[in-house]
Amino acid sequence: MQEQNLSKNNFEQCIKCTICTAYCPVVQVNPLYPGPKQAGPDGERFRLRDPFFYDENLKYCMNCKRCENACPSGVRIADIIHTARMKYSHHTPSLRDRILAGTDFMGKVARPVAPLVNAIVGTKAAKAGMDAFLGVDKHRTFPKYRFKGFESWFRHKAPDQNRFPRQVAFFHGCSTEYQHPEVGKAFVRVMNALGYGVQLLDEECCGVAMISNGLWKQARAHARHNVQAFEKTDLPIVTTASTCTFTMRDEYPEILGVDNKSVRDRIVLAEKFIFSLLDRGEVRLVFRKDFKARVAYHIPCHMEKLGWSIFTRELLGRIPGLDLTVLDSGCCGMAGTYGFKKENYAYSQEIGRPLMERIRLLDPDYVTSECDTCKWQIEMSTGVSVRNPILILADALDLDACRKINCGTEAE
Amino acid sequence: MRYDTLIIGGGLSGLVCGLQLQQAGRKTAIVSAGQNAMHFSSGAFGLLSRLEDGTPVDEPLTVLDKLGPDHPYTKIGPEKMAALLHTVKPFFAQAGIPLAGEESRNSFLITPTGNGKRVWLALDDMTLLPDGDSAFGSKALIVNLKGYLDFNTSFLAEGLERRGMKCRIEAVELPEMNRLRSNPTEMRSVNIARVMDGGEAWKHLVAAVNRLITDEDTVILPAVFGFADGAVIQAIREGIRVRTVFIGTMPPSVPGIRSQMRLKKAFELAGGTMLLGDQATAPVFRGSRLESLGTVNLGEVRLEADHYVMATGSFFSKGLWATPQRVEEPLLGLDLYAPEDRNRWYATDFFAPQEYIAFGARTDAGFHPLRGGQALENVYAIGSLLGGCNAVQMGCGAGIAILTALAVADRIINE
């Protein structure tokens, strides 16, 4: 909508209608947060005049983007807020913030001693210590690090991948590498069954946790690295995590100022990629006859912003034997590293309460969601397990029959 | 991606049309770029409050012949109008939105300044009166929540006193509101409604109001209750020991948002698809037919449908777009009622009828919009995108939104 704007300042599109404030999950629970209208377009007017008017309470914005989805005037409210944080905040990220932001660094450090790290951070004493000395809330359960990551599993599979007639590049992200390698394995199995070989990229963490924690320089370095790495290939860059996808497509240019035009349209979530193949009649799916599950779909905030939940719904909707309930769209309260912080924990749980109550009431076999931090929040708060849609697809597909239909015998 | 009908715009008109089609078994999707004017609702729908010359209307159906040939009601036709009017209350009721008011006769809504406004049907928070000027109680206690700035009690009292009502203004301080009050920019209708929805806060309010009542026979409260669930409104009415009247506030409108959420929910429950926060773009035409649309979020995946309904709204929703040179319809480039001479767009007297309000899409008698003079045969235009009448001056905006939506849904179903 910016191209229709007479002013270069996007905030001037705001007509002060206050609709955004009705959809902000934070203002509902946290009186310290000035709300999207005040923190965004209203505050920007003052900040342009004098940076003195910057309010450190803008840090309470979770960057869920629900205000932007609600705005009838095309104001990029959350972008304005985060750009202001970057420009004006005097807050120096603490050790805690750096640890939380360094998702890939922490993974590398923890992996060789994963069982030990998992055991220690799971103890009450360690939780109390992290709460007291770091400000990581003691109620949080940390996702477990895996001793063996996705990439080392993939190394054995890599030679086979070149035999497929068509190829995709896979951006697996940090949590698939360090905590949930099963997601990456399922992705490879599904893509292979569709006749696609999988290539890995020289990827770094997308940098979203660095953006949230104010480590702008590091985030920008990661963004530049990834854009350059993606430029080295012409393949579609397929992902399984909604927030990494959203960050690399939209936050790189809008917040970090890193030009990603050469690669942006190729970065796509697996569900959209697979749907597009089906839509164009390029692949066919064969489902198992004995698959049965009652599943509730939680749409992560960044999936709402991408506008792609329709693809996941369409794909899962085709699975015979899958009883799908789409949960009322609402933030789970986790927002990446936000909910780990002691000062946010209570707000985080309060924001997620309606969603958790609904899940407990439904009591599905499991919840599905494209976002791993939503997964951690929902599992911790409800005890119901959460699975990435690609895992469901891998379970529900008759992979051998799919492979036969989609690539004949040539790949075998 | 293929649908029976694709609706562009998720406001009142788009949602009503979508729900009607989806309930008739048509696979329907709504693309909606941002939220809509329902968030500004006064709490009531106007059908036809005045004629173009300002003559007040009591029974809208009896004056349809006085409307111009371009007015959407003229295109619907008097018989169809009469038939559709009876379906509106049941249609909203089954979507969880009970409406008050008489189908064939206008009533009066009390405005935030205490005046009487001619309206047709109202959401059940609101109180409708048979006439615009008389008192609806001898003494009124106007109660605000301390710190809430979007409800102007003294304007209201002034208006009510002109009707011969005695007014007393009080503000209630509730402990549950302290958290909100600490953040003055967020002491807003919707946030108050959320606090009042659950827990004990509304009971404390009722008790506080009952303590304040002396000899008043009417209590007036801002319409900031029942965000997710309207039950609290009834509970407050029953709890306060005299008659309670709710008055609309500055936006966001709690009754309006609740109604739009219910319409959306009903549409989704019926199996409809909402693409929220997305913007339709890149139409492909073949002759006088629209073949497909893209959206900003879906990228290369195209949306195809047998029928397309343009419910994109007016200037506020960017269904119409004004540059310094011209007014345009940005998605399909439809023909508009809009003079080229910019001096004819507006009157310099702010309160005079403004011509730009009547700008909008030109259609044939069947609501097919014109593009380059030719009607698009599988496209319809409904709601405030339609031009040809000054909906603000005539008080017919909501009526046009609802009735053109139902009329077009009928045409699509019976085609």
Side-chain angles (χ1 to χ4, degrees):
Chain A
M1 289 203 183
Q2 184 65 31
E3 63 269 21
Q4 297 169 328
N5 197 348
L6 295 177
S7 159
K8 69 179 165 60
N9 293 320
N10 169 266
F11 75 86
E12 289 178 12
Q13 289 291 294
C14 175
I15 61 160
K16 313 293 162 209
C17 74
T18 67
I19 284 177
C20 56
T21 66
Y23 293 87
C24 174
V26 183
V27 288
Q28 293 169 37
V29 301
N30 184 351
L32 297 172
Y33 180 55
K37 174 169 165 281
Q38 179 69 25
D42 286 8
E44 189 67 7
R45 205 174 290 277
F46 289 101
R47 294 189 290 263
L48 279 184
R49 174 104 181 104
D50 189 338
F52 165 81
F53 291 105
Y54 177 74
D55 178 354
E56 290 289 349
N57 287 328
L58 264 58
K59 71 179 175 198
Y60 290 113
C61 168
M62 301 192 295
N63 203 21
C64 70
K65 307 277 181 188
R66 286 183 185 270
C67 49
E68 294 187 6
N69 266 11
C71 177
S73 306
V75 181
R76 295 198 309 270
I77 305 160
D79 286 356
I80 293 171
I81 293 170
H82 282 267
T83 310
R85 285 183 57 214
M86 184 162 67
K87 261 165 93 178
Y88 304 117
S89 174
H90 294 298
H91 172 78
T92 329
S94 63
L95 176 61
R96 186 262 327 254
D97 296 348
R98 288 172 195 277
I99 289 174
L100 289 176
T103 49
D104 56 347
F105 176 76
M106 290 310 291
K108 283 189 187 105
V109 172
R111 181 151 65 198
V113 286
L116 193 65
V117 172
N118 294 336
I120 292 175
V121 298
T123 62
K124 270 199 174 146
K127 286 187 176 185
M130 288 193 291
D131 188 296
F133 298 113
L134 287 176
V136 174
D137 197 275
K138 61 174 179 282
H139 299 92
R140 283 282 162 213
T141 311
F142 272 82
K144 294 205 172 9
Y145 288 109
R146 296 292 181 83
F147 194 54
K148 200 166 167 235
F150 168 72
E151 287 201 5
S152 73
W153 172 86
F154 184 80
R155 230 165 275 142
H156 304 290
K157 299 274 167 193
D160 297 344
Q161 298 301 316
N162 293 322
R163 288 199 247 152
F164 289 90
R166 291 163 291 183
Q167 298 286 322
V168 292
F170 178 39
F171 180 95
H172 54 67
C174 300
S175 66
T176 293
E177 175 59 17
Y178 300 108
Q179 284 118 350
H180 308 296
E182 67 277 9
V183 173
K185 294 176 192 174
F187 174 78
V188 174
R189 282 204 299 274
V190 170
M191 290 318 297
N192 288 175
L194 299 179
Y196 278 80
V198 175
Q199 307 288 327
L200 296 194
L201 296 148
D202 170 26
E203 69 172 68
E204 277 187 1
C205 166
C206 70
V208 68
M210 293 167 174
I211 295 173
S212 317
N213 286 284
L215 296 153
W216 310 106
K217 246 194 343 218
Q218 292 90 325
R220 217 170 282 126
H222 278 223
R224 285 205 195 94
H225 173 97
N226 283 334
V227 171
Q228 278 168 18
F230 298 171
E231 278 173 346
K232 288 183 187 134
T233 172
D234 293 328
L235 297 176
I237 294 144
V238 188
T239 60
T240 47
S242 46
T243 290
C244 305
T245 313
F246 167 69
T247 302
M248 296 191 294
R249 284 172 60 94
D250 295 333
E251 304 283 73
Y252 282 6
E254 303 293 353
I255 292 185
L256 298 176
V258 173
D259 182 359
N260 67 351
K261 273 200 251 8
S262 55
V263 299
R264 181 183 183 272
D265 291 344
R266 276 193 288 135
I267 305 171
V268 55
L269 202 67
E271 289 73 21
K272 177 171 191 267
F273 184 73
I274 296 169
F275 179 87
S276 303
L277 295 179
L278 288 168
D279 201 35
R280 295 196 300 263
E282 291 174 21
V283 299
R284 281 157 67 193
L285 303 180
V286 185
F287 291 102
R288 279 170 37 188
K289 294 195 171 59
D290 56 347
F291 182 86
K292 265 213 157 1
R294 272 182 63 237
V295 179
Y297 177 29
H298 163 65
I299 306 172
C301 297
H302 290 160
M303 198 65 184
E304 288 284 11
K305 177 66 181 163
L306 283 167
W308 291 355
S309 68
I310 184 172
F311 300 120
T312 303
R313 280 181 278 168
E314 286 279 334
L315 277 184
L316 296 181
R318 292 179 189 214
I319 302 176
L322 184 122
D323 174 4
L324 186 70
T325 307
V326 179
L327 295 164
D328 270 350
S329 176
C331 180
C332 76
M334 190 63 172
T337 62
Y338 186 95
F340 277 103
K341 299 176 182 175
K342 195 177 173 176
E343 68 271 26
N344 295 339
Y345 178 79
Y347 301 133
S348 166
Q349 292 311 101
E350 186 56 22
I351 290 169
R353 193 170 48 82
L355 175 69
M356 304 310 158
E357 280 170 5
R358 177 87 178 112
I359 292 172
R360 277 189 218 106
L361 202 71
L362 264 175
D363 191 27
D365 295 337
Y366 44 84
V367 170
T368 186
S369 180
E370 298 89 345
C371 172
D372 283 317
T373 64
C374 296
K375 169 185 162 76
W376 302 339
Q377 170 83 329
I378 294 169
E379 290 185 341
M380 190 201 84
S381 309
T382 66
V384 179
S385 77
V386 181
R387 314 189 71 205
N388 189 290
I390 202 77
L391 288 168
I392 300 178
L393 217 51
D395 278 356
L397 285 173
D398 183 334
L399 293 170
D400 291 334
C402 276
R403 196 189 263 219
K404 271 195 198 108
I405 234 176
N406 290 311
C407 50
T409 51
E410 56 189 298
E412 286 305 307
Chain B
M1 209 168 273
R2 203 169 169 85
Y3 294 93
D4 295 330
T5 305
L6 184 64
I7 298 174
I8 325 301
L12 180 58
S13 204
L15 283 168
V16 167
C17 190
L19 179 55
Q20 181 81 331
L21 286 167
Q22 190 65 46
Q23 286 180 338
R26 304 302 171 97
K27 190 183 174 200
T28 306
I30 298 178
V31 183
S32 174
Q35 291 294 356
N36 49 72
M38 287 284 274
H39 291 62
F40 287 21
S41 169
S42 66
F45 298 145
L47 177 63
L48 184 64
S49 306
R50 283 167 300 277
L51 294 177
E52 199 152 12
D53 60 11
T55 315
V57 172
D58 288 324
E59 294 178 35
L61 277 182
T62 61
V63 294
L64 291 179
D65 57 335
K66 300 197 168 62
L67 300 175
D70 294 330
H71 196 288
Y73 294 163
T74 310
K75 290 178 182 171
I76 294 175
E79 293 85 28
K80 185 78 183 164
M81 279 290 290
L84 283 178
L85 283 197
H86 298 298
T87 68
V88 172
K89 279 171 104 172
F91 177 85
F92 278 85
Q94 53 97 25
I97 307 165
L99 295 175
E102 286 180 58
E103 277 159 1
S104 52
R105 198 180 168 80
N106 283 333
S107 305
F108 288 83
L109 179 77
I110 311 141
T111 70
T113 49
N115 294 312
K117 180 181 155 188
R118 264 191 181 72
V119 298
W120 177 42
L121 300 175
L123 304 173
D124 65 345
D125 319 34
M126 312 318 275
T127 302
L128 289 177
L129 304 173
D131 72 85
D133 317 308
S134 50
F136 53 93
S138 58
K139 286 187 174 177
L141 176 66
I142 302 174
V143 183
N144 196 5
L145 294 150
K146 199 164 179 186
Y148 179 52
L149 301 177
D150 292 337
F151 181 55
N152 199 313
T153 47
S154 35
F155 283 175
L156 179 60
E158 225 180 279
L160 297 184
E161 274 160 8
R162 275 199 300 271
R163 294 165 180 262
M165 295 169 70
K166 280 219 164 70
C167 295
R168 183 159 66 94
I169 299 170
E170 291 283 355
V172 169
E173 192 171 350
L174 295 175
E176 288 89 349
M177 289 292 149
N178 288 345
R179 191 179 60 74
L180 278 183
R181 281 178 53 211
S182 64
N183 187 352
T185 62
E186 293 311 312
M187 182 75 185
R188 289 185 191 282
S189 58
V190 170
N191 291 323
I192 296 171
R194 281 203 177 95
V195 174
M196 289 290 173
D197 258 356
E200 304 284 293
W202 69 270
K203 290 183 190 162
H204 297 155
L205 173 73
V206 166
V209 170
N210 280 335
R211 275 196 300 276
L212 284 170
I213 298 171
T214 52
D215 58 342
E216 288 88 2
D217 55 12
T218 305
V219 162
I220 294 178
L221 288 170
V224 293
F225 306 96
F227 185 66
D229 180 3
V232 70
I233 298 165
Q234 199 47 39
I236 291 173
R237 274 196 183 126
E238 282 164 16
I240 292 177
R241 59 188 163 92
V242 299
R243 181 195 199 195
T244 306
V245 173
F246 296 97
I247 302 279
T249 67
M250 296 288 278
S253 159
V254 171
I257 300 181
R258 180 178 64 239
S259 308
Q260 91 95 28
M261 289 197 304
R262 291 203 171 155
L263 283 173
K264 174 174 171 278
K265 180 103 193 167
F267 173 67
E268 288 178 322
L269 274 177
T273 301
M274 265 324 262
L275 297 171
L276 205 61
D278 203 353
Q279 196 185 346
T281 172
V284 170
F285 296 95
R286 177 179 291 194
S288 58
R289 291 182 71 83
L290 178 58
E291 286 224 310
S292 69
L293 284 171
T295 79
V296 170
N297 285 341
L298 298 187
E300 78 292 348
V301 176
R302 305 280 301 173
L303 298 173
E304 293 172 358
D306 296 335
H307 302 278
Y308 298 83
V309 178
M310 292 285 286
T312 50
S314 181
F315 297 100
F316 168 68
S317 304
K318 298 197 185 333
L320 297 178
W321 183 259
T323 70
Q325 291 78 36
R326 56 194 291 257
V327 177
E328 52 198 34
E329 186 287 302
L331 179 57
L332 303 181
L334 300 177
D335 298 350
L336 300 179
Y337 296 95
E340 277 184 21
D341 178 6
R342 198 173 195 281
N343 291 320
R344 288 183 47 209
W345 291 5
Y346 51 88
T348 46
D349 174 5
F350 183 81
F351 293 101
Q354 295 288 341
E355 195 171 346
Y356 68 85
I357 298 290
F359 292 1
R362 289 177 184 270
T363 73
D364 67 7
F367 293 105
H368 298 290
L370 308 185
R371 182 171 179 270
Q374 191 181 24
L376 293 171
E377 53 188 274
N378 65 338
V379 182
Y380 296 88
I382 59 173
S384 60
L385 170 65
L386 292 170
C389 73
N390 192 317
V392 169
Q393 163 75 359
M394 299 166 81
C396 58
I400 290 174
I402 296 166
L403 296 166
T404 57
L406 292 174
V408 163
D410 269 11
R411 276 171 196 266
I412 291 174
I413 292 164
N414 295 323
E415 197 171 275

